[in-house]
Amino acid sequence: MDLTGYWVSIVTEDWRYRMVTPAKGDYASVPLNPEGRKVADTWDPAKDEGAGNQCRSYGAAAIMRVPGRLHITWDDDHTLKIETDAGTQTRLLHFGPGQAPSGEPTWQGFSAALWDVPPAGRGGGAAAPVRPGQPRGGTLKVLTTHMRPGYLRKNGVPYSGNATVTEYFDRTNEPNGDSWLIVTTIVNDPQYLQQEFITSTHFKKQADATGWAPMPCEAR
């Protein structure tokens, strides 16, 4: 499955949470526990700006929901690189055994990746489990840890440094020639969430870099 190239996000759901900054205290549909709601109610973008934390809503648990474009390339034989023009972020997806987080936590954390391939058929041998609705071409599964605390939404809905993010990247090729990238994101955070927070985000393949416009993080 080839994920390289330029992709643009298509916002067909959660428009009011993704295209504009929601009002303070608006955390509908996020399964926050009481501690998470308390933290969300203290959101202060000016304080984030003063502390140099404008990127708190651009971390790995939220960046795929930020409207914009992706540029996906291979950084080397074992590392897939995802660059975002929104917030000018870079994610590195590491393949292979023996990888481990090192250094201080970062906005994008440490992402371990593997190909989740469906069975090859009779006589094809063992294979990883296939999720319902998964294309026959397989899925890219990514587990991200070692993140700095950030926001699930721009209005201060929090996730902690203990959070983990599991993602499934699926590509589909349509009869009309369009290609789509569907990213299913599952955030687990025992500190601020009562249960998993699951979203599905859609990107459409572009022929070139048209519209690519890197912009810095914004706190508001």
Side-chain angles (χ1 to χ4, degrees):
M1 181 172 59
D2 182 13
L3 301 181
T4 60
Y6 288 90
W7 304 82
V8 61
S9 59
I10 304 298
V11 181
T12 57
E13 75 293 305
D14 288 344
W15 196 95
R16 72 188 183 100
Y17 298 120
R18 297 176 62 191
M19 298 301 294
V20 297
T21 302
K24 184 176 181 177
D26 185 354
Y27 32 74
S29 79
V30 181
L32 291 175
N33 60 24
E35 184 179 358
R37 292 193 292 271
K38 182 179 179 180
V39 171
D41 288 338
T42 66
W43 175 59
D44 184 346
K47 186 176 180 179
D48 285 338
E49 290 169 345
N53 286 328
Q54 296 94 325
C55 291
R56 290 188 74 171
S57 63
Y58 297 81
I63 187 61
M64 305 306 282
R65 299 291 283 174
V66 180
R69 288 170 168 79
L70 309 177
H71 183 210
I72 304 179
T73 57
W74 284 98
D75 198 44
D76 58 41
D77 288 346
H78 304 285
T79 310
L80 193 65
K81 180 166 67 174
I82 302 177
E83 298 171 280
T84 72
D85 63 355
T88 318
Q89 299 295 301
T90 300
R91 300 186 63 189
L92 298 176
L93 312 186
H94 303 276
F95 293 82
Q99 301 281 357
S102 61
E104 293 296 318
T106 63
W107 295 125
Q108 301 309 323
F110 180 87
S111 297
L114 60 85
W115 297 110
D116 195 357
V117 182
R122 185 175 301 176
V130 181
R131 297 184 300 110
Q134 175 182 321
R136 293 188 61 84
T139 288
L140 173 62
K141 180 180 179 180
V142 179
L143 175 64
T144 301
T145 57
H146 206 59
M147 298 178 291
R148 293 179 63 179
Y151 297 149
L152 293 171
R153 286 182 181 157
K154 205 166 191 176
N155 63 337
V157 177
Y159 64 88
S160 74
N162 298 319
T164 62
V165 179
T166 304
E167 296 166 290
Y168 296 92
F169 291 71
D170 294 311
R171 174 174 175 163
T172 68
N173 298 309
E174 304 302 321
N176 66 355
D178 290 346
S179 292
W180 291 83
L181 177 62
I182 301 114
V183 182
T184 303
T185 303
I186 305 169
V187 181
N188 283 278
D189 185 359
Q191 185 168 343
Y192 293 137
L193 297 179
Q194 301 184 72
Q195 62 189 53
E196 295 177 337
F197 179 50
I198 304 174
T199 56
S200 180
T201 309
H202 300 77
F203 299 86
K204 187 176 181 180
K205 184 71 179 290
Q206 294 188 212
D208 51 36
T210 299
W212 178 257
M215 298 182 66
C217 300
E218 296 180 349
R220 300 174 188 269

